[in-house]
Amino acid sequence: EVQLVESGGGLVQPGRSLRLSCTTSGFTFDDYAMHWVRKVPGKGLEWVSGIGRNSFNMDYADSVKGRFTISRDDAKNSLYLQMNALRAEDTALYYCAKFRSDFDVFDLWGHGTMVTVSS
Amino acid sequence: QSALTQPASVSGSPGQSITISCTGTSSDVGSYNLVSWYQQHPGKAPKFIIYEASKRPSGVSSRFSGSRSGNTASLTISGLQAEDEADYYCCSYAGLSTWVFGGGTKLTVL
């Protein structure tokens, strides 16, 4: 069974850091680009960051560029998101998503991990 | 990277058809046919139902169809069923390896 399980969310003060993890199973992890997408409460989805196969490229939304870093460990079938200098507007449910390049879609998603930035 | 514009809510009775619009700009929807649609039921992970604006993956009901014209993409659901009640999101490639989503549309089946 294909699974993506996010972890690492929680309550954090503004300006602090948090590292999210996404552990995957059921597919050949290193064959796929992976992304982070977040859902702000009461708002829509927002693409946050993506990383290519072999960590060939990392891309970020303008809203997180310079503060967030995406990475992957193919040996552990895992995706990460290091979030620094967190702001209240980063409060969201963070999803890990597998990218299917032949369809150009996020074809599999986890259930998300909640990040709350508040003092 | 401004969010794509979707109506906040739409509704329809069982058996009817509804259409959800997704308006972007010439930098995203207007430039690329890489528009996808996602269905999300409460507490569940999003599920893709349309890719490349109008293509339907195997396993998705033929009641779901998509189209794109200019800066606007649309999702049509025909023969509404109670199980279609969910949130729907559009997504478009926005160039330079970035993506943009819509604000989401809550579909209510009356």
Side-chain angles (χ1 to χ4, degrees):
Chain A
E1 181 187 6
V2 179
Q3 276 195 314
L4 294 81
V5 180
E6 303 91 339
S7 61
L11 174 62
V12 61
Q13 294 178 328
R16 304 297 291 265
S17 299
L18 209 57
R19 188 193 194 211
L20 305 185
S21 299
C22 172
T23 303
T24 74
S25 60
F27 64 99
T28 305
F29 181 75
D30 51 11
D31 278 350
Y32 297 94
M34 297 293 297
H35 293 254
W36 288 98
V37 178
R38 66 187 181 185
K39 178 155 185 345
V40 175
K43 296 189 177 181
L45 297 173
E46 180 186 11
W47 176 80
V48 174
S49 180
I51 186 167
R53 297 174 58 187
N54 300 316
S55 301
F56 181 71
N57 58 290
M58 288 83 81
D59 302 286
Y60 302 92
D62 289 343
S63 57
V64 307
K65 199 172 293 183
R67 301 186 298 122
F68 289 12
T69 302
I70 191 171
S71 62
R72 63 190 295 161
D73 185 335
D74 290 348
K76 295 183 177 179
N77 296 329
S78 294
L79 176 72
Y80 306 99
L81 186 68
Q82 177 66 43
M83 305 187 295
N84 298 332
L86 282 162
R87 306 167 179 167
E89 54 264 37
D90 295 319
T91 294
L93 182 64
Y94 284 75
Y95 293 103
C96 162
K98 169 179 167 286
F99 189 76
R100 182 169 172 174
S101 59
D102 55 341
F103 286 3
D104 286 299
V105 292
F106 305 99
D107 69 328
L108 290 168
W109 302 59
H111 282 80
T113 186
M114 187 68 200
V115 172
T116 303
V117 184
S118 175
S119 54
Chain B
Q1 294 177 348
S2 298
L4 305 176
T5 301
Q6 298 180 231
S9 64
V10 298
S11 62
S13 299
Q16 288 186 330
S17 295
I18 62 95
T19 296
I20 299 172
S21 61
C22 169
T23 302
T25 69
S26 58
S27 297
D28 38 61
V29 176
S31 288
Y32 307 98
N33 203 40
L34 301 180
V35 176
S36 49
W37 288 89
Y38 300 83
Q39 176 192 61
Q40 186 176 31
H41 287 106
K44 301 292 188 182
K47 169 191 172 186
F48 88 99
I49 55 175
I50 295 288
Y51 68 102
E52 293 179 4
S54 61
K55 297 179 180 178
R56 194 174 52 250
S58 61
V60 172
S61 172
S62 57
R63 298 185 298 104
F64 293 89
S65 62
S67 63
R68 169 181 161 262
S69 178
N71 295 340
T72 299
S74 299
L75 172 72
T76 297
I77 309 174
S78 59
L80 271 179
Q81 299 179 359
E83 67 210 46
D84 299 332
E85 187 162 292
D87 292 330
Y88 291 84
Y89 296 92
C90 60
C91 176
S92 174
Y93 182 63
L96 299 178
S97 298
T98 66
W99 298 83
V100 60
F101 282 88
T105 298
K106 181 177 180 60
L107 168 62
T108 300
V109 180
L110 302 171

